[in-house]
Amino acid sequence: MTQYILKLFNTQTRKKEEILPSDGKTIRMYTCGPTIYDYAHIGNFRTYVFEDLLRRTLKFFGFEVMQVMNITDVDDKTIKGAIKNKVPLKTFTDPFKKAFFEDLKILNIEPAEFYPEATAYIGEMIKIIQDLLKKEIAYVGLDKSIYFSIGKFPNYGKLSRLNLKELQAGASMRVIADEYDKESVSDFVLWKSYDSVRDGDIYWDSPFGKGRPGWHIECSAMSLKLLGHTIDIHCGGIDNMFPHHENEIAQSECYTSKSFVLHWAHSEHLIVDGKKMSKSLGNFFTLRDILKKGYSGPQIRYMLLHTHYKSNLNFTFDGLAGAKNTLQRILDFINRLKTIKEEQEVCVVTPFIQRCKDEFSLALADDLNISSALASLFDFVRDINVLCDDKKIFKKDAIRVLEFLADLDKVIGCLSFNDEEVPQNIQEALDKRQIARKEKNFKKADELRQYIESLGYIIEDTPQGARVKKK
Ligand code: AMP
Ligand code: ZN
Protein backbone atom coordinates (compact mmCIF):
# COMPACT_ATOMS: atom_id res chain seq x y z
CA MET A 1 0.00 0.00 0.00
CA THR A 2 1.27 3.47 -0.84
CA GLN A 3 2.31 5.47 2.20
CA TYR A 4 1.14 9.04 1.75
CA ILE A 5 2.81 11.83 3.67
CA LEU A 6 1.18 15.19 4.14
CA LYS A 7 3.13 18.23 3.02
CA LEU A 8 1.62 21.11 4.92
CA PHE A 9 2.39 24.81 4.60
CA ASN A 10 4.40 25.96 7.61
CA THR A 11 3.58 29.57 8.44
CA GLN A 12 6.94 29.98 10.10
CA THR A 13 9.15 28.86 7.21
CA ARG A 14 6.59 29.84 4.51
CA LYS A 15 7.19 26.45 2.88
CA LYS A 16 5.30 23.21 2.50
CA GLU A 17 6.93 20.65 4.77
CA GLU A 18 6.33 16.98 5.53
CA ILE A 19 4.45 16.11 8.67
CA LEU A 20 5.97 13.16 10.47
CA PRO A 21 5.78 12.35 14.19
CA SER A 22 8.94 13.73 15.76
CA ASP A 23 8.85 11.00 18.42
CA GLY A 24 8.51 8.38 15.66
CA LYS A 25 5.05 7.43 16.84
CA THR A 26 2.38 10.03 17.47
CA ILE A 27 1.78 13.40 15.86
CA ARG A 28 1.18 15.84 18.70
CA MET A 29 -1.03 18.69 17.73
CA TYR A 30 -2.37 21.69 19.64
CA THR A 31 -5.38 23.60 18.40
CA CYS A 32 -6.44 26.88 19.97
CA GLY A 33 -10.01 26.36 21.11
CA PRO A 34 -13.03 28.53 21.83
CA THR A 35 -13.46 31.27 24.37
CA ILE A 36 -16.74 30.24 25.95
CA TYR A 37 -18.36 33.63 26.48
CA ASP A 38 -20.97 33.13 23.73
CA TYR A 39 -21.97 30.62 21.06
CA ALA A 40 -19.23 29.99 18.51
CA HIS A 41 -19.99 31.40 15.04
CA ILE A 42 -19.50 29.57 11.75
CA GLY A 43 -16.28 31.57 11.17
CA ASN A 44 -14.81 29.87 14.25
CA PHE A 45 -16.08 26.57 12.90
CA ARG A 46 -14.27 27.12 9.63
CA THR A 47 -11.05 26.90 11.60
CA TYR A 48 -12.20 23.90 13.64
CA VAL A 49 -13.32 22.09 10.45
CA PHE A 50 -9.90 22.80 8.90
CA GLU A 51 -8.22 21.31 11.98
CA ASP A 52 -10.56 18.35 11.77
CA LEU A 53 -9.60 17.84 8.13
CA LEU A 54 -5.94 17.94 9.12
CA ARG A 55 -6.47 15.42 11.92
CA ARG A 56 -8.58 13.10 9.76
CA THR A 57 -6.10 13.25 6.87
CA LEU A 58 -3.17 12.33 9.11
CA LYS A 59 -5.16 9.39 10.45
CA PHE A 60 -6.25 8.43 6.92
CA PHE A 61 -2.57 8.30 6.01
CA GLY A 62 -2.02 5.88 8.89
CA PHE A 63 -0.58 8.15 11.59
CA GLU A 64 -1.53 8.32 15.23
CA VAL A 65 -2.64 11.76 16.35
CA MET A 66 -2.83 13.22 19.82
CA GLN A 67 -4.75 16.47 19.70
CA VAL A 68 -5.36 19.03 22.41
CA MET A 69 -8.03 21.69 22.04
CA ASN A 70 -8.12 24.10 24.95
CA ILE A 71 -11.24 25.71 26.32
CA THR A 72 -10.66 29.32 27.32
CA ASP A 73 -12.91 29.68 30.35
CA VAL A 74 -11.18 32.73 31.79
CA ASP A 75 -10.13 35.87 29.91
CA ASP A 76 -11.30 39.47 29.51
CA LYS A 77 -14.52 38.49 27.72
CA THR A 78 -15.66 35.66 30.01
CA ILE A 79 -15.06 37.80 33.11
CA LYS A 80 -16.96 40.71 31.59
CA GLY A 81 -19.88 38.39 30.77
CA ALA A 82 -20.00 36.88 34.27
CA ILE A 83 -19.95 40.31 35.92
CA LYS A 84 -22.59 41.70 33.59
CA ASN A 85 -24.86 38.74 34.31
CA LYS A 86 -24.03 38.83 38.04
CA VAL A 87 -23.18 35.11 38.16
CA PRO A 88 -20.05 33.11 39.05
CA LEU A 89 -17.64 32.65 36.13
CA LYS A 90 -18.41 28.93 35.73
CA THR A 91 -22.17 29.50 35.80
CA PHE A 92 -21.69 31.96 32.98
CA THR A 93 -19.35 29.83 30.81
CA ASP A 94 -20.81 26.33 31.32
CA PRO A 95 -23.82 26.66 28.97
CA PHE A 96 -21.53 27.90 26.17
CA LYS A 97 -19.16 25.01 26.74
CA LYS A 98 -22.06 22.57 26.51
CA ALA A 99 -23.29 24.28 23.34
CA PHE A 100 -19.82 24.10 21.82
CA PHE A 101 -19.61 20.33 22.26
CA GLU A 102 -23.11 19.95 20.81
CA ASP A 103 -22.04 22.00 17.80
CA LEU A 104 -18.91 19.89 17.29
CA LYS A 105 -21.12 16.80 17.12
CA ILE A 106 -23.53 18.39 14.66
CA LEU A 107 -20.59 19.23 12.38
CA ASN A 108 -19.15 15.73 12.86
CA ILE A 109 -15.85 17.13 14.10
CA GLU A 110 -13.90 14.25 15.60
CA PRO A 111 -13.25 14.64 19.31
CA ALA A 112 -9.74 15.68 20.32
CA GLU A 113 -7.94 13.55 22.89
CA PHE A 114 -7.92 16.38 25.46
CA TYR A 115 -10.09 19.43 26.06
CA PRO A 116 -8.26 21.15 28.94
CA GLU A 117 -9.94 24.11 30.60
CA ALA A 118 -7.69 27.03 31.40
CA THR A 119 -8.96 27.41 34.97
CA ALA A 120 -7.68 23.90 35.77
CA TYR A 121 -4.12 24.89 34.79
CA ILE A 122 -3.60 28.09 36.78
CA GLY A 123 -0.93 26.32 38.87
CA GLU A 124 1.04 25.47 35.71
CA MET A 125 0.77 29.06 34.51
CA ILE A 126 2.06 30.36 37.84
CA LYS A 127 5.03 27.97 37.60
CA ILE A 128 6.00 29.33 34.18
CA ILE A 129 5.59 32.96 35.27
CA GLN A 130 7.75 32.36 38.37
CA ASP A 131 10.47 30.93 36.17
CA LEU A 132 10.30 33.88 33.76
CA LEU A 133 10.50 36.30 36.68
CA LYS A 134 13.53 34.46 38.03
CA LYS A 135 15.19 34.69 34.64
CA GLU A 136 14.32 38.42 34.55
CA ILE A 137 12.49 37.95 31.28
CA ALA A 138 9.28 38.94 33.05
CA TYR A 139 8.89 41.93 35.34
CA VAL A 140 6.32 43.49 37.66
CA GLY A 141 4.71 46.63 36.24
CA LEU A 142 3.61 49.70 38.16
CA ASP A 143 0.08 48.29 38.21
CA LYS A 144 1.51 45.13 39.91
CA SER A 145 0.67 43.03 36.86
CA ILE A 146 3.42 40.88 35.41
CA TYR A 147 4.65 41.50 31.89
CA PHE A 148 6.81 39.63 29.44
CA SER A 149 9.69 41.76 28.18
CA ILE A 150 9.80 41.11 24.46
CA GLY A 151 13.19 42.79 24.24
CA LYS A 152 14.64 39.85 26.20
CA PHE A 153 13.64 37.34 23.53
CA PRO A 154 15.67 37.99 20.37
CA ASN A 155 13.41 35.76 18.30
CA TYR A 156 10.29 37.75 19.11
CA GLY A 157 8.33 38.25 15.91
CA LYS A 158 9.84 35.29 14.04
CA LEU A 159 6.47 33.74 13.23
CA SER A 160 4.74 36.83 11.93
CA ARG A 161 8.02 38.28 10.62
CA LEU A 162 7.66 41.53 12.47
CA ASN A 163 10.18 44.23 12.02
CA LEU A 164 10.46 44.86 15.71
CA LYS A 165 12.66 47.92 15.51
CA GLU A 166 10.28 49.73 13.20
CA LEU A 167 7.16 48.71 15.09
CA GLN A 168 8.49 49.52 18.52
CA ALA A 169 9.44 53.05 17.59
CA GLY A 170 5.82 54.20 17.81
CA ALA A 171 4.47 51.54 20.15
CA SER A 172 3.39 51.71 23.74
CA MET A 173 5.59 50.05 26.37
CA ARG A 174 3.18 47.39 27.45
CA VAL A 175 -0.29 46.10 26.77
CA ILE A 176 -2.67 44.56 29.28
CA ALA A 177 -5.55 43.61 26.93
CA ASP A 178 -5.67 39.99 25.72
CA GLU A 179 -6.25 41.02 22.12
CA TYR A 180 -4.39 43.75 20.23
CA ASP A 181 -2.93 44.28 16.80
CA LYS A 182 0.53 44.73 15.34
CA GLU A 183 0.37 48.48 15.85
CA SER A 184 0.49 47.81 19.59
CA VAL A 185 3.39 45.41 19.59
CA SER A 186 4.86 45.69 23.09
CA ASP A 187 5.46 43.84 26.33
CA PHE A 188 2.41 41.71 27.02
CA VAL A 189 0.74 40.65 30.21
CA LEU A 190 1.32 37.27 31.86
CA TRP A 191 -0.56 37.88 35.09
CA LYS A 192 -3.14 40.59 35.62
CA SER A 193 -3.16 41.97 39.09
CA TYR A 194 -6.65 41.98 40.66
CA ASP A 195 -8.83 44.99 39.98
CA SER A 196 -12.14 44.84 41.86
CA VAL A 197 -14.01 46.99 39.32
CA ARG A 198 -12.82 45.02 36.34
CA ASP A 199 -12.76 41.54 37.91
CA GLY A 200 -15.62 41.50 40.49
CA ASP A 201 -14.82 38.57 42.73
CA ILE A 202 -12.99 36.58 40.06
CA TYR A 203 -9.35 36.04 41.01
CA TRP A 204 -6.78 33.42 41.98
CA ASP A 205 -4.15 33.65 44.67
CA SER A 206 -0.57 33.47 43.53
CA PRO A 207 2.94 34.16 44.90
CA PHE A 208 2.69 37.54 43.12
CA GLY A 209 -0.67 38.45 44.64
CA LYS A 210 -4.34 38.10 43.71
CA GLY A 211 -5.06 38.13 40.02
CA ARG A 212 -5.60 36.02 36.95
CA PRO A 213 -3.60 34.86 33.97
CA GLY A 214 -3.33 36.66 30.64
CA TRP A 215 -4.83 34.77 27.71
CA HIS A 216 -1.58 33.86 25.97
CA ILE A 217 0.04 32.04 28.89
CA GLU A 218 -2.97 29.73 29.08
CA CYS A 219 -2.19 27.95 25.81
CA SER A 220 1.52 27.67 26.57
CA ALA A 221 0.81 26.06 29.95
CA MET A 222 -1.70 23.54 28.58
CA SER A 223 0.38 22.65 25.54
CA LEU A 224 3.61 22.15 27.53
CA LYS A 225 1.86 20.12 30.21
CA LEU A 226 -0.15 17.82 27.96
CA LEU A 227 2.01 17.48 24.85
CA GLY A 228 5.58 18.16 26.00
CA HIS A 229 8.12 20.87 25.29
CA THR A 230 8.28 20.50 21.52
CA ILE A 231 5.16 19.64 19.59
CA ASP A 232 4.65 18.71 15.95
CA ILE A 233 1.83 21.03 14.89
CA HIS A 234 0.13 24.06 16.37
CA CYS A 235 -2.96 25.39 14.59
CA GLY A 236 -5.39 28.25 14.68
CA GLY A 237 -7.07 30.81 12.50
CA ILE A 238 -4.71 33.31 10.88
CA ASP A 239 -5.80 36.03 13.33
CA ASN A 240 -4.20 33.96 16.10
CA MET A 241 -0.77 34.30 14.56
CA PHE A 242 -0.18 37.73 16.07
CA PRO A 243 -0.08 38.37 18.94
CA HIS A 244 -1.36 35.10 20.42
CA HIS A 245 0.98 32.58 18.81
CA GLU A 246 3.92 34.94 18.78
CA ASN A 247 3.49 35.38 22.53
CA GLU A 248 3.06 31.65 23.08
CA ILE A 249 6.41 31.04 21.37
CA ALA A 250 8.16 33.72 23.45
CA GLN A 251 6.90 32.46 26.82
CA SER A 252 7.35 28.78 26.08
CA GLU A 253 10.80 28.98 24.54
CA CYS A 254 12.12 31.21 27.32
CA TYR A 255 10.72 28.75 29.86
CA THR A 256 11.98 25.48 28.30
CA SER A 257 14.93 26.71 26.18
CA LYS A 258 13.59 24.39 23.49
CA SER A 259 11.81 24.90 20.22
CA PHE A 260 8.09 25.13 21.08
CA VAL A 261 6.47 24.10 17.78
CA LEU A 262 7.92 22.46 14.68
CA HIS A 263 5.08 23.34 12.35
CA TRP A 264 2.62 26.23 12.49
CA ALA A 265 -0.59 25.88 10.46
CA HIS A 266 -3.08 28.73 10.07
CA SER A 267 -6.34 28.80 8.17
CA GLU A 268 -7.69 31.85 6.42
CA HIS A 269 -10.97 33.39 7.43
CA LEU A 270 -14.60 32.95 6.69
CA ILE A 271 -15.58 36.35 5.40
CA VAL A 272 -18.82 38.21 4.79
CA ASP A 273 -18.91 41.04 2.23
CA GLY A 274 -15.13 41.17 2.26
CA LYS A 275 -14.80 41.35 6.05
CA LYS A 276 -13.82 38.69 8.58
CA MET A 277 -16.86 37.18 10.26
CA SER A 278 -16.58 38.25 13.88
CA LYS A 279 -18.56 39.02 16.97
CA SER A 280 -17.21 42.55 17.16
CA LEU A 281 -18.39 43.44 13.63
CA GLY A 282 -21.77 41.81 14.27
CA ASN A 283 -21.67 40.13 10.84
CA PHE A 284 -21.87 36.60 12.20
CA PHE A 285 -24.15 33.58 12.20
CA THR A 286 -23.95 30.93 14.86
CA LEU A 287 -24.35 27.31 13.81
CA ARG A 288 -27.77 27.43 15.46
CA ASP A 289 -28.83 30.39 13.29
CA ILE A 290 -28.06 28.39 10.15
CA LEU A 291 -29.69 25.19 11.40
CA LYS A 292 -32.85 27.19 12.06
CA LYS A 293 -32.88 28.16 8.39
CA GLY A 294 -33.28 24.48 7.51
CA TYR A 295 -29.69 23.49 6.70
CA SER A 296 -28.22 20.32 8.21
CA GLY A 297 -24.90 19.71 9.95
CA PRO A 298 -23.40 17.79 6.98
CA GLN A 299 -24.43 20.58 4.55
CA ILE A 300 -22.83 23.27 6.70
CA ARG A 301 -19.76 21.10 7.22
CA TYR A 302 -19.44 20.59 3.46
CA MET A 303 -19.69 24.35 2.87
CA LEU A 304 -16.96 25.03 5.45
CA LEU A 305 -14.77 22.20 4.21
CA HIS A 306 -14.80 22.40 0.44
CA THR A 307 -12.53 25.45 -0.06
CA HIS A 308 -8.79 25.23 0.48
CA TYR A 309 -7.91 26.37 3.99
CA LYS A 310 -5.44 28.97 2.75
CA SER A 311 -8.07 30.86 0.76
CA ASN A 312 -10.67 33.11 2.27
CA LEU A 313 -14.09 31.53 2.17
CA ASN A 314 -16.80 34.00 1.30
CA PHE A 315 -20.00 33.10 3.14
CA THR A 316 -23.30 33.60 1.30
CA PHE A 317 -26.59 31.76 1.52
CA ASP A 318 -26.34 31.07 -2.23
CA GLY A 319 -22.98 29.42 -1.58
CA LEU A 320 -24.53 27.36 1.19
CA ALA A 321 -27.39 26.28 -1.09
CA GLY A 322 -24.78 25.32 -3.71
CA ALA A 323 -22.91 23.20 -1.15
CA LYS A 324 -26.19 21.55 -0.20
CA ASN A 325 -26.92 20.63 -3.84
CA THR A 326 -23.42 19.33 -4.44
CA LEU A 327 -23.55 17.15 -1.38
CA GLN A 328 -26.98 15.91 -2.43
CA ARG A 329 -25.50 14.65 -5.71
CA ILE A 330 -23.21 12.32 -3.78
CA LEU A 331 -26.03 11.25 -1.48
CA ASP A 332 -28.26 10.48 -4.48
CA PHE A 333 -25.43 8.42 -5.90
CA ILE A 334 -25.15 6.50 -2.63
CA ASN A 335 -28.89 5.87 -2.61
CA ARG A 336 -28.74 4.70 -6.18
CA LEU A 337 -26.06 2.15 -5.30
CA LYS A 338 -28.08 0.92 -2.37
CA THR A 339 -30.99 -0.01 -4.61
CA ILE A 340 -28.87 -2.33 -6.79
CA LYS A 341 -29.94 -5.81 -5.82
CA GLU A 342 -29.17 -7.91 -8.89
CA GLU A 343 -26.31 -10.36 -8.32
CA GLN A 344 -23.72 -11.25 -10.95
CA GLU A 345 -20.07 -12.25 -10.68
CA VAL A 346 -18.79 -9.26 -12.67
CA CYS A 347 -16.29 -6.82 -11.26
CA VAL A 348 -15.60 -3.59 -13.11
CA VAL A 349 -15.09 -0.98 -10.41
CA THR A 350 -11.62 -1.85 -9.03
CA PRO A 351 -9.56 0.36 -11.40
CA PHE A 352 -11.95 3.29 -10.85
CA ILE A 353 -11.64 2.92 -7.09
CA GLN A 354 -7.86 2.68 -7.26
CA ARG A 355 -7.55 5.76 -9.41
CA CYS A 356 -9.89 7.82 -7.29
CA LYS A 357 -8.17 6.76 -4.07
CA ASP A 358 -4.77 7.77 -5.49
CA GLU A 359 -5.97 11.11 -6.79
CA PHE A 360 -7.90 11.85 -3.59
CA SER A 361 -4.90 11.01 -1.37
CA LEU A 362 -2.37 12.84 -3.52
CA ALA A 363 -4.50 15.97 -3.48
CA LEU A 364 -4.76 15.86 0.31
CA ALA A 365 -1.06 15.14 0.67
CA ASP A 366 -0.42 18.38 -1.21
CA ASP A 367 -1.23 20.85 1.58
CA LEU A 368 -4.75 19.47 2.17
CA ASN A 369 -6.03 20.35 -1.27
CA ILE A 370 -9.59 19.32 -0.49
CA SER A 371 -11.15 20.98 -3.55
CA SER A 372 -8.99 18.86 -5.81
CA ALA A 373 -9.67 15.75 -3.68
CA LEU A 374 -13.41 16.35 -4.00
CA ALA A 375 -13.04 16.89 -7.75
CA SER A 376 -11.57 13.39 -8.06
CA LEU A 377 -14.54 12.06 -6.11
CA PHE A 378 -16.95 13.78 -8.51
CA ASP A 379 -15.13 12.30 -11.50
CA PHE A 380 -15.53 8.91 -9.88
CA VAL A 381 -19.25 9.46 -9.24
CA ARG A 382 -19.72 10.46 -12.89
CA ASP A 383 -17.86 7.36 -14.16
CA ILE A 384 -19.75 4.93 -11.95
CA ASN A 385 -23.07 6.59 -12.77
CA VAL A 386 -22.36 5.94 -16.46
CA LEU A 387 -21.66 2.27 -15.63
CA CYS A 388 -24.93 2.15 -13.68
CA ASP A 389 -26.80 3.65 -16.67
CA ASP A 390 -25.25 0.94 -18.85
CA LYS A 391 -26.39 -1.69 -16.34
CA LYS A 392 -22.82 -2.82 -15.74
CA ILE A 393 -22.91 -2.49 -11.96
CA PHE A 394 -24.23 -5.38 -9.89
CA LYS A 395 -24.68 -5.83 -6.18
CA LYS A 396 -21.10 -6.86 -5.32
CA ASP A 397 -19.62 -3.87 -7.15
CA ALA A 398 -22.19 -1.54 -5.63
CA ILE A 399 -21.15 -2.73 -2.17
CA ARG A 400 -17.48 -2.24 -3.05
CA VAL A 401 -18.18 1.34 -4.14
CA LEU A 402 -20.17 2.03 -0.98
CA GLU A 403 -17.33 0.68 1.15
CA PHE A 404 -14.88 2.87 -0.73
CA LEU A 405 -17.04 5.95 -0.16
CA ALA A 406 -17.25 5.08 3.52
CA ASP A 407 -13.45 5.01 3.50
CA LEU A 408 -13.24 8.47 1.90
CA ASP A 409 -15.81 9.69 4.37
CA LYS A 410 -13.28 9.11 7.15
CA VAL A 411 -11.82 12.35 5.78
CA ILE A 412 -14.86 14.15 4.35
CA GLY A 413 -17.20 13.35 7.22
CA CYS A 414 -20.36 14.50 5.41
CA LEU A 415 -21.69 11.41 3.68
CA SER A 416 -24.36 9.51 5.48
CA PHE A 417 -24.32 5.74 5.18
CA ASN A 418 -27.23 5.06 7.47
CA ASP A 419 -30.23 3.86 5.58
CA GLU A 420 -32.79 6.56 5.85
CA GLU A 421 -35.52 5.07 7.99
CA VAL A 422 -38.58 4.78 5.79
CA PRO A 423 -41.74 4.40 7.88
CA GLN A 424 -43.52 1.10 7.33
CA ASN A 425 -46.79 2.62 6.04
CA ILE A 426 -44.84 4.52 3.39
CA GLN A 427 -42.85 1.48 2.31
CA GLU A 428 -46.10 -0.51 2.03
CA ALA A 429 -47.74 2.23 -0.05
CA LEU A 430 -44.67 2.31 -2.29
CA ASP A 431 -44.79 -1.48 -2.81
CA LYS A 432 -48.53 -1.29 -3.61
CA ARG A 433 -47.85 1.51 -6.09
CA GLN A 434 -45.25 -0.66 -7.83
CA ILE A 435 -47.82 -3.45 -8.20
CA ALA A 436 -50.45 -0.99 -9.45
CA ARG A 437 -48.01 0.33 -12.07
CA LYS A 438 -47.15 -3.18 -13.19
CA GLU A 439 -50.87 -3.87 -13.56
CA LYS A 440 -51.17 -0.56 -15.47
CA ASN A 441 -53.64 0.69 -12.86
CA PHE A 442 -52.29 4.23 -13.17
CA LYS A 443 -55.17 5.84 -11.29
CA LYS A 444 -54.40 3.77 -8.19
CA ALA A 445 -50.65 4.31 -8.61
CA ASP A 446 -51.25 8.05 -8.74
CA GLU A 447 -53.40 8.01 -5.61
CA LEU A 448 -50.67 6.13 -3.76
CA ARG A 449 -48.08 8.64 -4.93
CA GLN A 450 -50.25 11.50 -3.63
CA TYR A 451 -50.67 9.67 -0.33
CA ILE A 452 -46.89 9.26 0.04
CA GLU A 453 -46.30 12.90 -0.84
CA SER A 454 -48.91 14.04 1.67
CA LEU A 455 -46.74 12.40 4.36
CA GLY A 456 -43.70 14.47 3.39
CA TYR A 457 -41.90 12.02 1.08
CA ILE A 458 -41.21 12.09 -2.63
CA ILE A 459 -40.88 9.15 -4.97
CA GLU A 460 -37.92 8.78 -7.28
CA ASP A 461 -38.29 6.34 -10.15
CA THR A 462 -34.86 4.98 -11.03
CA PRO A 463 -33.76 2.27 -13.48
CA GLN A 464 -33.33 0.04 -10.42
CA GLY A 465 -36.87 0.68 -9.16
CA ALA A 466 -38.72 3.24 -7.13
CA ARG A 467 -37.49 4.69 -3.83
CA VAL A 468 -38.68 7.37 -1.48
CA LYS A 469 -36.85 10.15 0.23
CA LYS A 470 -37.87 12.95 2.57
CA LYS A 471 -39.02 16.11 0.79
P1 AMP B 1 -11.77 32.96 19.42
O1 AMP B 1 -12.90 32.32 20.19
O2 AMP B 1 -12.07 34.35 18.95
O3 AMP B 1 -10.45 32.83 20.13
O4 AMP B 1 -11.61 32.13 18.05
C1 AMP B 1 -11.52 30.74 18.05
C2 AMP B 1 -10.89 30.29 16.74
O5 AMP B 1 -11.69 30.71 15.63
C3 AMP B 1 -9.51 30.86 16.50
O6 AMP B 1 -8.67 29.85 15.97
C4 AMP B 1 -9.74 31.97 15.50
O7 AMP B 1 -8.60 32.19 14.71
C5 AMP B 1 -10.86 31.38 14.68
N1 AMP B 1 -11.68 32.40 13.97
C6 AMP B 1 -12.28 33.50 14.48
N2 AMP B 1 -12.97 34.16 13.51
C7 AMP B 1 -12.81 33.46 12.35
C8 AMP B 1 -13.28 33.61 10.99
N3 AMP B 1 -14.07 34.62 10.61
N4 AMP B 1 -12.89 32.68 10.09
C9 AMP B 1 -12.11 31.64 10.45
N5 AMP B 1 -11.65 31.43 11.70
C10 AMP B 1 -11.99 32.32 12.65
ZN1 ZN C 1 -4.21 29.52 21.95
Side-chain angles (χ1 to χ4, degrees):
M1 211 186 84
T2 323
Q3 166 76 67
Y4 293 98
I5 295 185
L6 171 62
K7 273 188 134 189
L8 187 68
F9 187 82
N10 185 346
T11 319
Q12 184 151 326
T13 59
R14 309 287 199 269
K15 278 195 256 163
K16 290 184 203 173
E17 288 167 6
E18 287 189 348
I19 300 288
L20 290 163
S22 55
D23 69 357
K25 210 171 137 251
T26 308
I27 293 169
R28 283 160 304 139
M29 163 167 153
Y30 188 93
T31 44
C32 287
T35 306
I36 44 174
Y37 73 109
D38 202 345
Y39 297 106
H41 58 65
I42 54 168
N44 302 130
F45 284 113
R46 189 201 183 188
T47 293
Y48 303 136
V49 166
F50 147 67
E51 292 159 352
D52 186 52
L53 173 65
L54 171 57
R55 171 194 170 88
R56 284 170 176 263
T57 301
L58 291 169
K59 287 173 72 178
F60 190 65
F61 288 172
F63 293 101
E64 258 181 50
V65 175
M66 188 189 282
Q67 181 190 356
V68 172
M69 176 175 279
N70 69 289
I71 305 288
T72 300
D73 59 351
V74 54
D75 80 322
D76 293 347
K77 291 184 275 198
T78 43
I79 291 182
K80 210 165 148 191
I83 290 175
K84 192 169 160 213
N85 288 278
K86 299 192 177 64
V87 290
L89 185 61
K90 204 167 159 43
T91 310
F92 175 68
T93 54
D94 260 358
F96 298 120
K97 181 172 77 181
K98 190 167 160 269
F100 177 68
F101 284 111
E102 284 166 8
D103 289 357
L104 289 184
K105 261 208 183 127
I106 291 170
L107 290 175
N108 198 16
I109 291 177
E110 273 191 6
E113 279 63 31
F114 299 98
Y115 289 102
E117 294 171 19
T119 50
Y121 288 76
I122 306 273
E124 290 303 317
M125 299 170 206
I126 291 175
K127 210 163 91 186
I128 300 173
I129 299 170
Q130 278 181 307
D131 179 77
L132 297 178
L133 278 169
K134 207 163 105 203
K135 290 176 177 156
E136 295 183 357
I137 293 167
Y139 62 92
V140 184
L142 289 177
D143 62 349
K144 301 219 175 66
S145 294
I146 299 179
Y147 294 88
F148 183 98
S149 171
I150 57 173
K152 297 269 172 72
F153 181 55
N155 277 333
Y156 192 81
K158 70 175 172 183
L159 179 65
S160 23
R161 305 208 170 167
L162 300 176
N163 183 337
L164 220 51
K165 279 200 188 112
E166 243 171 51
L167 283 165
Q168 273 194 314
S172 57
M173 270 292 285
R174 59 187 77 103
V175 57
I176 195 162
D178 285 333
E179 291 178 75
Y180 53 93
D181 58 24
K182 282 185 193 158
E183 309 309 308
S184 314
V185 69
S186 49
D187 294 354
F188 60 90
V189 74
L190 296 166
W191 186 263
K192 300 194 194 195
S193 162
Y194 177 64
D195 171 337
S196 59
V197 177
R198 191 193 59 202
D199 300 334
D201 55 5
I202 301 166
Y203 65 84
W204 282 262
D205 287 315
S206 82
F208 10 90
K210 269 161 63 163
R212 52 150 167 138
W215 170 43
H216 314 293
I217 192 75
E218 298 182 2
C219 282
S220 288
M222 290 182 267
S223 181
L224 295 172
K225 181 73 183 170
L226 292 167
L227 294 173
H229 288 181
T230 303
I231 65 166
D232 295 304
I233 314 175
H234 193 127
C235 308
I238 191 71
D239 56 321
N240 278 164
M241 180 168 69
F242 183 87
H244 186 48
H245 290 162
E246 203 68 73
N247 293 352
E248 280 189 46
I249 295 175
Q251 303 153 157
S252 309
E253 299 197 349
C254 287
Y255 175 59
T256 67
S257 307
K258 297 208 177 82
S259 211
F260 176 45
V261 171
L262 298 177
H263 203 111
W264 285 95
H266 293 102
S267 58
E268 291 296 327
H269 286 141
L270 184 74
I271 56 168
V272 187
D273 297 330
K275 294 208 177 78
K276 176 192 166 192
M277 180 177 282
S278 70
K279 291 270 161 61
S280 53
L281 289 176
N283 60 353
F284 66 92
F285 293 96
T286 63
L287 181 62
R288 283 130 211 271
D289 294 333
I290 311 275
L291 291 170
K292 271 192 218 134
K293 291 187 188 290
Y295 290 94
S296 68
Q299 291 160 357
I300 302 167
R301 179 183 167 90
Y302 189 88
M303 182 273 292
L304 294 172
L305 181 81
H306 78 289
T307 300
H308 192 268
Y309 76 96
K310 288 204 62 65
S311 305
N312 277 333
L313 170 58
N314 191 24
F315 175 74
T316 61
F317 278 99
D318 280 350
L320 182 56
K324 174 181 168 177
N325 290 339
T326 312
L327 183 59
Q328 191 57 46
R329 265 173 37 217
I330 315 179
L331 301 185
D332 288 345
F333 174 63
I334 289 170
N335 284 331
R336 180 178 199 186
L337 292 166
K338 281 183 187 164
T339 58
I340 298 178
K341 301 278 180 256
E342 208 180 320
E343 314 231 13
Q344 263 194 43
E345 277 308 313
V346 188
C347 172
V348 293
V349 296
T350 308
F352 292 92
I353 289 179
Q354 197 50 54
R355 192 175 73 212
C356 180
K357 180 148 189 176
D358 280 346
E359 286 173 1
F360 186 84
S361 306
L362 282 171
L364 288 172
D366 180 15
D367 201 21
L368 297 177
N369 192 342
I370 187 70
S371 3
S372 170
L374 290 170
S376 62
L377 169 60
F378 283 109
D379 287 347
F380 174 78
V381 170
R382 186 202 54 218
D383 292 345
I384 303 296
N385 262 328
V386 170
L387 291 173
C388 288
D389 294 344
D390 296 346
K391 306 224 170 338
K392 288 188 179 141
I393 300 283
F394 298 97
K395 192 171 174 185
K396 238 185 192 166
D397 260 352
I399 290 172
R400 262 186 216 122
V401 173
L402 286 170
E403 283 170 356
F404 171 60
L405 293 177
D407 196 27
L408 298 191
D409 200 42
K410 287 180 191 154
V411 174
I412 302 168
C414 299
L415 316 177
S416 160
F417 288 86
N418 301 330
D419 272 315
E420 203 178 295
E421 284 280 310
V422 177
Q424 201 184 344
N425 56 336
I426 291 179
Q427 189 58 51
E428 279 170 10
L430 186 70
D431 294 343
K432 279 187 196 154
R433 175 180 171 270
Q434 287 300 87
I435 297 168
R437 273 160 63 100
K438 256 193 196 145
E439 291 169 350
K440 303 213 177 330
N441 185 347
F442 295 115
K443 185 166 172 283
K444 190 170 176 196
D446 212 38
E447 279 166 11
L448 286 159
R449 183 182 52 76
Q450 281 170 20
Y451 168 70
I452 290 170
E453 285 180 359
S454 73
L455 296 175
Y457 282 77
I458 47 168
I459 301 174
E460 280 188 345
D461 289 305
T462 75
Q464 286 78 29
R467 62 178 184 232
V468 287
K469 67 179 186 186
K470 275 207 185 106
K471 261 185 200 163

